[in-house]
Amino acid sequence: MKRFLLIFALVVLVVAGGVAYFADSDPDGLDAVTQRGCAVVETGGGESLEGRCIAQHAGDHALSDGPLADYTVGGDDRFTGVAGIIGAVVTLAAAGGLFWGLRRRSGSEDA
């Protein structure tokens, strides 16, 4: 069982680190739908939406300046794979902790 978990963890890390570099910078489905009716225009201060769409009323997320914002590490696009690996490790740790904490223990009473 330990060998399986080790191999599983290694595969997850390789996939998370490698596939992250193929992530598309174009808007995903939700972003694309909310931007219908607008055009994204590059300005000196960043991107701006011209036209009428739902996305014009959107603001930045509260954690948009966080260390892993936009699937990067510190805003550097070269570290997308590292951000993917960090996300995979955190997810595996959280899931493992939940499974470990919720597992049935031998000798305990069932209520």
Side-chain angles (χ1 to χ4, degrees):
M1 183 64 164
K2 288 182 183 181
R3 183 176 180 199
F4 168 77
L5 291 176
L6 180 64
I7 292 171
F8 177 76
L10 288 174
V11 169
V12 166
L13 293 177
V14 168
V15 169
V19 172
Y21 286 105
F22 295 105
D24 193 359
S25 61
D26 290 333
D28 64 8
L30 180 60
D31 285 339
V33 168
T34 61
Q35 291 178 8
R36 284 187 185 156
C38 284
V40 179
V41 178
E42 292 289 334
T43 64
E47 293 180 344
S48 176
L49 292 174
E50 291 186 0
R52 291 188 54 164
C53 63
I54 299 170
Q56 286 182 319
H57 304 292
D60 282 339
H61 188 274
L63 300 175
S64 63
D65 58 348
L68 296 176
D70 292 330
Y71 308 108
T72 62
V73 176
D76 191 343
D77 290 335
R78 295 176 296 170
F79 297 116
T80 301
V82 176
I85 290 171
I86 292 170
V89 168
V90 169
T91 301
L92 287 173
L98 281 172
F99 285 122
W100 181 78
L102 297 173
R103 76 183 191 283
R104 286 186 172 211
R105 295 185 171 92
S106 60
S108 65
E109 295 181 24
D110 291 330

